[in-house]
């Protein structure tokens, strides 16, 4: 009986020690295999196309510096975090000139029925701000926008010193993008 | 009236956690900021030497009022909250919430969306278990495994980034479907991942599961019997590690889980090792579900979201409904009550971690302090989920 115990103890010890050797083998194998990590500042990851960063505005096809936004405020009201601020441009007091470039969505039914078929002045935002501090990136604004004026940017490498650095003026951003060249996301 | 020096000792929790009649004990705080507590959980322990005489978890350090937020936000606006309750298994919570609302409002979900939900949820379960695996071993003093686990988990995060756009706090589920469809590249990527992961598991077994140092720290530690599981309402791998064969995916079928052939791993060891083995096997079973879902995906009807899917101004009809799903940590239950207005009347979130943690006070009594860390890790707690 005692001998049985001793044999078991010895075999357990040997098995236990062997398990450590097996573990070391795995570690050694991994040690010589190629590195998986990336040396960040010198190299960057290549999968940021699908990453959804903060939202940004989409310009009109012909005027890339002007957003497609029609100030319907759907994004503002449906946002869970209340991080979007849109201010509509005030309509001029004088009879509005018919703007040729107003997209079809902007023509309300009332405007069409009026005797002189005059298009309403284009609704454009004068201020479009995103407080990225609050955003939870759910994508609701992107989904509800009737004119597809919002999309996700791929900005991954953002940093700032204060909260104010993450309050973005997206109109200015759009103008900047349009100035730099179209399609540059 | 307390004496001045007594008032200076600790906070009200400590003072109410009175020292026992023996003078040889010491009261020690584990947490709130402790590497082995995964978040901000605090445990007050009364130690007698190296043994725990009593232990009491203190919760609420990251309580964010998710249930109350449900009453102030609209139905749709509550969706992103689900990714923040349990940040490691966000998909499971999102799935439960949309399931509850869909049952309440009788919203049809296209078949394809159901498959996408299952694939995303199961992938998320694997990533959650991988992180648990790494973090648990980190608690036990093994640093390397978390690096292997993160390398694998990174692949899942990259894959899920394509349809969801995010890497951790997913907000993928929508009422009546999911946010976006998946591409062929995603499907191929998931298949490649499964093949790769199957090759990795034997390595994990060699490196960790068979390792004598791990076995000594988990075998026979934290024994939870069936009766104790039932008393505390423990679910998930904790109850399956104690021999209770219960899994919502099979026993209360929801979504399309009845179409897949998978096994519910059950271990009868009742100790930390049993819970460890259950989770390791669950990853394999999740991969089987994903494989079958990917095979059936092309034949599924409909698109990723129903045409009649509610918009953000959606109001659920008056009534109440409960939905439960199997999360990575156990049974996630969400009870919604509506009075027909813009916002829910009440949302009750049942977090599995809360019940699993409540075991701890009884379980830790009489164990050594180092074993308490092992027990805590084996329960797989995610504190944001417990506090909600």
């Amino acid at each position: 009986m005692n001998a049985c115990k001793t044999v078991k103890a010895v075999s357990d010890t040997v098995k236990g020690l062997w398990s450590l050797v097996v573990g070391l083998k795995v570690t050694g194998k991994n040690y010589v295999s190629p590195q998986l990590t990336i040396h960040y500042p010198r190299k960057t990851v290549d999968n940021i196309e699908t990453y959804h960063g903060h939202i940004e505005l989409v310009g009109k096809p012909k005027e890339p510096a002007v957003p497609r936004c029609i100030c319907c405020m759907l994004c503002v009201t449906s946002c869970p975090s209340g991080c979007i601020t849109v201010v509509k441009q005030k309509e001029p007091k004088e009879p509005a000139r018919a703007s040729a470039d107003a997209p079809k969505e902007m023509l309300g039914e009332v405007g069409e029925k009026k005797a002189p078929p005059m298009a309403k002045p284009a609704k454009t935002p004068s201020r479009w701000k995103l407080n990225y501090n609050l955003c939870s990136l759910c994508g609701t604004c992107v989904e509800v926008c009737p004119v597809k004026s919002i999309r996700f940017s791929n900005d991954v490498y953002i940093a700032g010193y204060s909260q104010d650095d993450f309050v973005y003026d997206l109109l200015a951003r759009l103008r900047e993008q349009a100035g730099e060249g179209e399609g540059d996301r | 009236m307390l004496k001045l020096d007594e008032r200076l000792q600790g906070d009200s929790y400590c003072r109410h956690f009175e020292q026992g009649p023996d003078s040889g004990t010491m009261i020690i705080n584990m947490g709130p900021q402790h590497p082995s507590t995964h978040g901000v959980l605090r445990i007050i322990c009364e130690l007698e030497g190296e043994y725990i005489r009593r232990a009491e978890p203190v919760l609420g350090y990251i309580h964010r009022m998710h249930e109350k937020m449900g009453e102030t936000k609209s139905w749709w606006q509550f969706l992103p909250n689900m990714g923040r309750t349990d940040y490691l298994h966000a998909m499971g919570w999102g799935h439960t919430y949309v399931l509850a609302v869909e049952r309440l409002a009788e919203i049809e979900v296209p078949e394809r969306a159901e498959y996408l939900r299952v694939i995303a949820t199961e992938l998320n379960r694997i990533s959650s278990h991988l992180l648990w695996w790494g973090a648990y071993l980190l608690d036990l003093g093994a640093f390397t495994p978390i690096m292997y686990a993160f390398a694998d988990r990174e692949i899942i995060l990259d894959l899920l980034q394509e349809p969801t756009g995010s890497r951790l706090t997913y907000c993928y589920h929508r009422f009546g479907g999911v946010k976006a469809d998946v591409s062929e590249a995603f499907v191929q990527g998931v298949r490649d991942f499964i093949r790769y992961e199957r090759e990795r598991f034997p390595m994990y077994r060699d490196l960790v599961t068979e390792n004598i140092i791990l076995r000594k720290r988990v075998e026979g530690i934290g024994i939870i019997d069936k009766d104790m599981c039932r008393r505390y309402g423990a679910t998930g791998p904790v109850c399956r590690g104690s021999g209770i064969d219960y899994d919502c995916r099979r026993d209360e079928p929801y979504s399309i889980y009845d179409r897949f052939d998978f096994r519910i791993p059950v271990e009868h060891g009742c100790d930390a090792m049993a819970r460890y083995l259950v989770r390791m096997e669950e990853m394999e079973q999740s991969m089987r579900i994903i494989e079958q879902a990917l095979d059936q995906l092309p034949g599924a009807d409909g698109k990723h979201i129903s045409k009649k899917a509610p918009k953000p101004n959606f109001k659920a009809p008056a009534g109440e409904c409960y939905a439960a799903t199997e999360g990575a940590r156990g049974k996630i239950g969400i009870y919604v009550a509506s009075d027909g207005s813009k916002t829910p009347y009440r949302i009750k979130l049942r977090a599995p971690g809360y019940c699993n943690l409540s075991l701890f006070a009884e379980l830790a009594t009489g164990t050594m302090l180092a074993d308490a860390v092992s027990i805590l890790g084996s329960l797989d707690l995610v504190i944001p989920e417990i506090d909600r």
Side-chain angles (χ1 to χ4, degrees):
Chain A
M1 195 64 197
N2 231 348
C4 234
K5 262 187 188 172
T6 320
V7 169
K8 197 177 177 296
V10 169
S11 82
D12 278 359
T13 314
V14 171
K15 263 188 209 162
L17 287 172
W18 179 246
S19 76
L20 300 181
V21 175
V22 172
L24 277 176
K25 236 193 267 174
V26 172
T27 311
K29 214 170 150 190
N30 197 67
Y31 187 70
V32 291
S33 59
Q35 214 169 27
L36 289 171
T37 46
I38 282 173
H39 288 245
Y40 163 56
R42 291 179 287 281
K43 276 192 230 162
T44 51
V45 288
D46 55 358
N47 60 352
I48 52 171
E49 310 87 61
T50 51
Y51 179 81
H52 289 180
H54 65 81
I55 51 168
E56 63 182 8
L57 289 171
V58 181
K60 288 178 188 172
K62 284 178 187 165
E63 288 174 276
V66 181
R68 292 192 202 175
C69 176
I70 53 168
C71 301
C72 65
M73 302 290 167
L74 265 178
C75 52
V76 180
T77 50
S78 58
C79 176
S81 326
C83 57
I84 303 171
T85 318
V86 180
V87 177
K88 202 158 69 174
Q89 217 159 44
K90 274 189 183 160
E91 289 174 29
K93 290 255 169 84
E94 309 91 69
R97 56 181 179 80
S99 59
D101 50 40
K104 272 179 193 167
E105 290 94 343
M106 292 172 195
L107 302 167
E109 283 186 5
V110 191
E112 283 171 42
K113 278 177 191 168
K114 270 183 183 173
M118 261 225 310
K120 275 193 173 179
K123 283 182 191 166
T124 45
S126 66
R127 213 152 68 90
W128 219 109
K129 276 202 171 159
L130 166 73
N131 189 348
Y132 192 44
N133 297 303
L134 306 175
C135 178
S136 50
L137 292 167
C138 60
T140 304
C141 49
V142 179
E143 279 168 54
V144 296
C145 187
V147 289
K148 295 193 168 47
S149 176
I150 310 172
R151 70 173 174 217
F152 283 111
S153 69
N154 294 333
D155 280 3
V156 183
Y157 306 110
I158 49 172
Y161 289 103
S162 72
Q163 289 202 348
D164 299 338
D165 292 347
F166 299 103
V167 180
Y168 299 124
D169 183 355
L170 292 185
L171 280 178
R173 184 188 162 86
L174 184 70
R175 276 196 293 272
E176 203 178 292
Q177 279 177 338
E180 278 174 12
E182 239 180 299
D184 181 37
R185 286 182 68 177
Chain B
M1 187 68 191
L2 292 160
K3 280 184 229 155
L4 183 68
D5 58 333
E6 280 176 342
R7 256 183 291 168
L8 291 173
Q9 274 178 0
D11 57 359
S12 70
Y13 275 112
C14 266
R15 280 201 295 274
H16 288 106
F17 190 84
E18 285 169 9
Q19 250 165 327
D22 297 342
S23 56
T25 59
M26 181 172 74
I27 289 178
I28 192 167
N29 279 295
M30 204 166 133
Q33 282 92 27
H34 189 275
S36 79
T37 54
H38 311 272
V40 275
L41 171 70
R42 172 182 171 197
I43 292 164
I44 313 179
C45 307
E46 186 185 353
L47 296 183
E48 187 176 346
E50 198 50 23
Y51 290 91
I52 293 178
R53 178 171 279 198
R54 277 187 308 150
E56 193 179 299
V58 181
L59 303 179
Y61 285 91
I62 40 171
H63 181 57
R64 288 146 302 156
M65 306 183 290
H66 277 302
E67 291 182 3
K68 188 69 192 169
M69 270 158 105
E71 293 168 27
T72 55
K73 292 183 168 201
S74 74
W75 292 92
W76 180 293
Q77 286 175 345
F78 192 59
L79 276 170
N81 279 50
M82 291 292 90
R84 272 95 184 152
T85 43
D86 181 352
Y87 55 86
L88 292 181
H89 198 218
M91 294 285 187
W93 281 88
H95 199 159
T96 323
Y97 177 58
V98 295
L99 207 63
V101 176
E102 277 159 7
R103 277 183 196 166
L104 179 64
E106 289 170 0
I107 300 164
E108 289 276 319
V109 185
E111 212 179 3
R112 191 176 172 84
E114 293 279 22
Y115 278 106
L116 294 177
R117 281 180 184 182
V118 167
I119 293 168
T121 310
E122 294 303 321
L123 273 176
N124 202 192
R125 188 192 309 277
I126 298 174
S127 80
S128 168
H129 280 347
L130 277 174
L131 191 130
W132 161 82
W133 184 77
Y136 182 38
L137 295 162
L138 196 63
D139 293 352
L140 296 179
F143 183 76
T144 330
I146 197 166
M147 293 297 150
Y148 292 107
F150 265 56
D152 294 357
R153 185 171 166 269
E154 201 67 17
I155 304 171
I156 302 181
L157 298 191
D158 285 350
L159 284 168
L160 284 178
Q161 186 182 306
E162 191 216 301
T164 62
S166 38
R167 293 174 71 79
L168 193 69
T169 47
Y170 305 111
C171 182
Y172 185 50
H173 295 78
R174 294 285 185 269
F175 304 132
V178 289
K179 182 180 172 184
D181 207 342
V182 297
S183 65
E184 265 311 304
F186 172 86
V187 174
Q188 196 49 49
V190 175
R191 283 188 197 281
D192 290 347
F193 165 74
I194 291 176
R195 203 175 312 121
Y196 167 78
E197 196 61 20
R198 289 229 165 96
E199 286 168 14
R200 295 276 280 188
F201 278 145
M203 185 270 271
Y204 288 167
R205 200 188 54 231
D206 288 347
L207 181 69
V208 180
T209 315
E210 300 283 318
N211 188 295
I212 185 74
I213 303 171
L214 176 91
R215 296 198 90 105
K216 290 276 179 203
R217 295 230 36 203
V218 293
E219 276 179 349
I221 302 294
I223 292 184
I224 311 171
D225 55 21
K226 272 186 190 181
D227 180 50
M228 193 168 164
C229 278
R230 293 201 177 108
R231 266 189 291 131
Y232 285 97
T235 44
V238 176
C239 90
R240 285 195 288 276
S242 299
I244 299 175
D245 192 3
Y246 177 76
D247 190 306
C248 272
R249 287 175 291 178
R250 186 199 56 201
D251 300 321
E252 295 174 33
Y254 57 94
S255 193
I256 45 163
Y257 276 104
D258 48 350
R259 296 186 195 178
F260 306 118
D261 169 35
F262 63 103
R263 198 172 66 81
I264 308 293
V266 178
E267 292 284 333
H268 296 272
C270 305
D271 55 354
M273 190 66 194
R275 298 190 276 281
Y276 174 97
L277 292 173
V278 164
R279 291 203 182 89
M280 296 306 273
E281 181 59 26
E282 253 181 35
M283 284 196 257
E284 170 59 32
Q285 296 303 324
S286 285
M287 293 200 292
R288 275 183 67 194
I289 296 176
I290 295 168
E291 271 187 330
Q292 291 170 45
L294 287 177
D295 290 340
Q296 295 171 22
L297 186 64
D301 291 338
K303 291 166 92 176
H304 68 280
I305 192 157
S306 153
K307 270 186 188 162
K308 291 176 192 161
K311 294 279 172 289
N313 55 5
F314 159 73
K315 288 179 191 171
E320 46 198 80
C321 198
Y322 177 75
T325 64
E326 187 68 30
R329 266 152 279 286
K331 187 177 183 174
I332 302 170
I334 294 187
Y335 180 82
V336 291
S338 166
D339 55 0
S341 67
K342 243 171 38 183
T343 57
Y345 180 74
R346 176 83 168 92
I347 291 183
K348 166 78 185 121
L349 310 172
R350 184 229 187 254
Y354 187 84
C355 300
N356 293 354
L357 173 67
S358 62
L359 280 163
F360 182 75
E362 192 181 322
L363 201 56
T365 310
T367 60
M368 288 177 70
L369 185 62
D371 289 345
V373 175
S374 174
I375 294 170
L376 209 58
S378 76
L379 296 175
D380 191 10
L381 305 169
V382 169
I383 314 302
E385 177 204 54
I386 295 169
D387 281 349
R388 301 191 289 286

